[in-house]
Amino acid sequence: GVMDLKAAPTPEQPSLADVEKAWGLHGEDLATRLSALRALRRPLNASEAASLLDLVRRPQNYSTLTPDAQYLFFNELLETLRVAGGVNHVTLAHGLAETIRDESRLEVQRDYALQHLGQLYELKTLPPEGLDVVFEMAETAQSALAATAVRNLGRGAAQKLPLDLDRLKKVALK
């Protein structure tokens, strides 16, 4: 007989459900939210990528988790955005930069964002303003952020990535 096209599930549905679970809209626990991120098809489609980028900017959507769970979730979220494909790295870099500069965010989240920004730098997909943020943190941040930023710059120099060497020397002299 004639196939009923309406009955066939659209490929969008399971992924949208996974994005919703990742957001924790129904009080999902950490394990459920992590497996939802991992279940997303690669590459991400445009709406999934946009939704996950939005989630980076909304810590209130994972602040109900314990601090350790928040760190795990945030790191997995950034990892998914960086490696899953379908995500514009310039857009991702802007989201990471926003997190890094936001002093109301937990320092561990800012540090993870800085580490992922460093990985974009090594992939050569970091826009120049992304590198400015790394320098800013190396020059001004206290504690972990400064150390991570200096490490990012050092790896960049070692790999002969584009880098303002005069600015790097000033950081090194601090």
Side-chain angles (χ1 to χ4, degrees):
V2 178
M3 248 180 81
D4 180 10
L5 292 176
K6 282 195 285 295
T10 64
E12 293 294 275
Q13 281 166 346
S15 260
L16 279 177
D18 285 326
V19 167
E20 253 185 47
K21 281 185 197 150
W23 270 78
L25 296 181
H26 310 292
E28 288 84 352
D29 65 2
L30 175 67
T32 306
R33 294 178 76 170
L34 289 176
S35 61
L37 281 176
R38 293 174 187 145
L40 288 166
R41 284 189 315 279
R42 278 53 172 147
L44 301 172
N45 67 37
S47 69
E48 291 160 353
S51 183
L52 294 182
L53 279 164
D54 198 25
L55 186 50
V56 171
R57 298 193 170 94
R58 293 177 192 264
Q60 61 274 26
N61 281 88
Y62 29 95
S63 61
T64 52
L65 300 167
T66 66
D68 281 354
Q70 283 185 56
Y71 303 150
L72 265 170
F73 178 75
F74 189 64
N75 193 50
E76 187 74 27
L77 175 62
L78 297 185
E79 186 77 15
T80 302
L81 283 164
R82 192 170 47 78
V83 303
V87 178
N88 175 321
H89 278 186
V90 174
T91 310
L92 176 56
H94 285 290
L96 293 171
E98 217 173 277
T99 301
I100 294 161
R101 287 188 170 128
D102 181 351
E103 294 183 8
S104 73
R105 296 292 289 260
L106 297 168
E107 192 183 57
V108 175
Q109 287 178 13
R110 294 171 68 205
D111 193 60
Y112 282 170
L114 191 53
Q115 290 174 38
H116 284 273
L117 199 67
Q119 287 169 309
L120 294 182
Y121 179 38
E122 292 185 48
L123 290 168
K124 300 183 172 67
T125 56
L126 185 65
E129 58 272 25
L131 196 53
D132 280 339
V133 180
V134 179
F135 266 114
E136 242 171 71
M137 293 303 129
E139 291 159 353
T140 61
Q142 303 307 312
S143 67
L145 290 169
T148 299
V150 170
R151 218 173 21 251
N152 286 347
L153 295 169
R155 282 210 296 269
Q159 293 175 36
K160 308 245 185 301
L161 295 174
L163 191 60
D164 177 342
L165 291 174
D166 289 332
R167 197 169 174 190
L168 182 61
K169 281 186 195 116
K170 287 192 191 103
V171 169
L173 294 173
K174 269 188 67 181

